[in-house]
Amino acid sequence: MATFVLVPGFWLGAWAWDDVARDLRAAGHDVHPVTLTGLAERASEATPQVDVDTHIDDIISVIRDEDLHEVVLVGHSGGSIPVTGVGDRIPERLARIVYVDSGPLPDGMAQIDFHDTDSRQELQRQVSSEGGGWKIPVPPFDPATDADNLAGLGEKQLRRMRELGTPQPFGTAGQPLRRPQTTPDTPKSAIMCTFPPEVVRSLADSGNPVFAPMADLDLHHLPTGHWPMFSRPADLAALLSKLA
């Protein structure tokens, strides 16, 4: 059986993995969902200084404090950024990294850089006008304006995301990830939902700098929206168990 450390994406805490963690534990795995600094039950720890390095240190602390080895480290969405940093820093503790509807960013790129100019400007406007200049507000999670990403979610799930979501410290989106020239050869997989694997491969093979680090990933497809831990938790858990 495997040891899993599950890292949520923006606005979420360990609670986001409840259904997936239950199924993984039922299969006999050791499972450690993580709440990062400034989110969910740790919202009171949010400050303008919380950034990518803070969240990398959070995950490393869980792994070291629990004395975990041969870890299958899973990162969803924005959680992929600190997960990648952990993979670069303590590869000796990891058996595999799994990205969920995400992938590793190249050296020097921040999460905000993944978006086009208009989206970046809108995000910065929201941070300035609604987030006190340093927090990203929780999205409305409205299928009317974000149908593809929210595919497969019912009103009960959407309401839970809105109620339990917490503002994201902007430093975790704005700080570029710094990576070593030579990165560890830890096995890496990606479970793609909104980006089919063939699209990812095509973009990576074309030399697209954002997708280039995904060229060597073991790619899998779980057709659903961007939040598979809510829309298809049993299938996500089964696929994670298989990858482990």
Side-chain angles (χ1 to χ4, degrees), residues 185-204:
D185 59 358
T186 306
K188 300 176 182 66
S189 301
I191 299 171
M192 306 309 299
C193 301
T194 56
F195 275 86
E198 57 269 21
V199 173
V200 174
R201 290 192 185 96
S202 177
L203 289 168

Side-chain angles (χ1 to χ4, degrees), residues 1-6 17 19-31 70 72-74 95-96 98 100 189 191 218 220 222 232-244:
M1 294 296 101
T3 298
F4 285 92
V5 172
L6 306 177
W17 295 105
D19 292 341
V20 173
R22 182 196 61 228
D23 285 0
L24 289 174
R25 288 176 179 131
H29 300 296
D30 182 26
V31 187
E70 293 296 306
V72 179
L73 180 59
V74 181
R96 179 174 296 273
V98 182
V100 178
S189 301
I191 299 171
D218 167 43
H220 301 263
L222 182 60
R232 295 185 62 178
D235 293 327
L236 178 57
L239 188 46
L240 288 171
S241 188
K242 179 179 177 182
L243 290 174

Side-chain angles (χ1 to χ4, degrees), residues 27 72 122 154 172 190 194 197 204 227-228 244:
V72 179
E122 173 59 20
T172 62
T194 56
W227 310 91

